Amino acid sequence: MKKIIDGRYELVFLVFLVIATLFLRFYGISGHAYGSDEKHIMFERHDAMMKSLRSFIFVPTIDEWEKDTGYNYGGFHLNYGMQSATTPLSWQMISSSVLVFGENAFGLRFIPALFGFMYVIAFYFLIRHVYAKKYAMISAALFSLFPFSISNVQNGAILEPITIFFFVMCLLSLVGFFGERRRYVGIVWAMLMVFSNFPKAIIMLGMLFIWETFNSLYKKRFSGFDENKRGYFKSF
């Protein structure tokens, strides 16, 4: 496994990347108005989860919400509609954040913004491990500045940043970043992804399964990393 940080130059870049990404994800996080989903869904769900320990662990279903609030949540929805019970970990983390910081915009948006920061850093190490530092620096800098990513993670009703972070960590495990225990570490990240957003985790894990199957058929495993070529596939 390559060194996590190699040299002062990379360390300085990482410090700037961390500061810039944190600033872009958290600056003005409480300054803009609530979105429709945030206004009508998130705090009501938090209140429903706070009724009992059972409600916090086994996230209330849409029927329980509508009975308590009288609001029509639109039926089937992968994040918080009929399938809301398939995203328990995301809701538990957001609800815990609201409990700590209060029922305000910062408390609601803290977890998506935090994971939006972390997946940029994880993405840097993924590209660095697979290719090289220069590609990792360019791609992570562009990812950090990507407007769609910035706006998404400042919406407390968007759960995808949590799932994306766990997915990138699964990829890091797959390419051997965690060494000999990569399989066990990868299983942990995969399970966290499943509990954070089951429907979308199944799609992403399915993509990984197809990718691994393809590589098995063509005898091109990630373990074939060639340090001199700065990449995983010697044919590149």
Side-chain angles (χ1 to χ4, degrees):
M1 189 177 87
K2 293 187 288 187
K3 292 181 180 179
I4 295 178
I5 299 176
D6 185 16
R8 186 178 301 176
Y9 176 72
E10 184 179 14
L11 178 60
V12 171
F13 172 82
L14 277 174
V15 169
F16 276 103
L17 180 66
V18 167
I19 293 173
T21 307
L22 278 173
F23 176 79
L24 291 170
R25 267 63 185 169
F26 282 93
Y27 178 74
I29 193 173
S30 302
H32 54 89
Y34 291 119
S36 177
D37 291 338
E38 290 180 303
K39 182 178 180 181
H40 295 294
I41 295 175
M42 305 302 289
F43 290 125
E44 287 85 350
R45 166 55 68 92
H46 168 72
D47 292 339
M49 292 175 65
M50 289 295 105
K51 288 183 176 180
S52 67
L53 180 61
R54 182 186 182 280
S55 295
F56 184 82
I57 297 174
F58 302 101
V59 182
T61 63
I62 188 172
D63 293 334
E64 294 177 72
W65 293 9
E66 293 184 348
K67 186 185 298 182
D68 290 342
T69 65
Y71 182 77
N72 182 2
Y73 291 97
F76 183 86
H77 194 292
L78 291 181
N79 281 353
Y80 35 72
M82 291 291 287
Q83 301 298 313
S84 59
T86 64
T87 58
L89 182 59
S90 295
W91 286 102
Q92 288 160 359
M93 287 191 290
I94 291 175
S95 185
S96 298
S97 174
V98 172
L99 186 64
V100 171
F101 297 111
E103 293 194 17
N104 51 56
F106 183 82
L108 183 61
R109 297 164 179 167
F110 174 78
I111 291 297
L114 177 64
F115 277 83
F117 156 73
M118 292 194 298
Y119 72 55
V120 172
I121 305 303
F123 182 75
Y124 169 82
F125 286 109
L126 174 65
I127 301 302
R128 183 192 187 280
H129 192 79
V130 174
Y131 297 108
K133 286 189 292 185
K134 60 181 179 180
Y135 302 122
M137 290 176 178
I138 294 171
S139 57
L142 292 174
F143 201 6
S144 178
L145 297 171
F146 187 40
F148 185 74
S149 173
I150 296 171
S151 62
N152 264 13
V153 303
Q154 290 194 352
N155 187 327
I158 294 180
L159 311 181
E160 279 72 22
I162 302 170
T163 311
I164 291 172
F165 170 74
F166 291 141
F167 179 65
V168 175
M169 296 306 291
C170 284
L171 290 177
L172 275 171
S173 303
L174 184 66
V175 300
F177 183 82
F178 298 104
E180 295 180 356
R181 300 193 177 187
R182 61 176 185 163
R183 294 184 183 275
Y184 304 105
V185 176
I187 290 173
V188 172
W189 290 118
M191 292 307 299
L192 288 171
M193 181 168 61
V194 166
F195 279 99
S196 72
N197 197 322
F198 177 78
K200 294 171 186 178
I202 292 301
I203 295 172
M204 293 179 176
L205 290 175
M207 292 167 58
L208 290 182
F209 176 77
I210 293 172
W211 177 255
E212 275 291 271
T213 302
F214 176 83
N215 283 317
S216 297
L217 291 174
Y218 288 90
K219 307 297 182 182
K220 292 181 178 179
R221 286 290 189 176
F222 279 112
S223 58
F225 179 76
D226 185 346
E227 181 70 28
N228 295 324
K229 293 291 184 66
R230 305 295 293 173
Y232 274 86
F233 301 116
K234 295 180 181 180
S235 60
F236 281 8

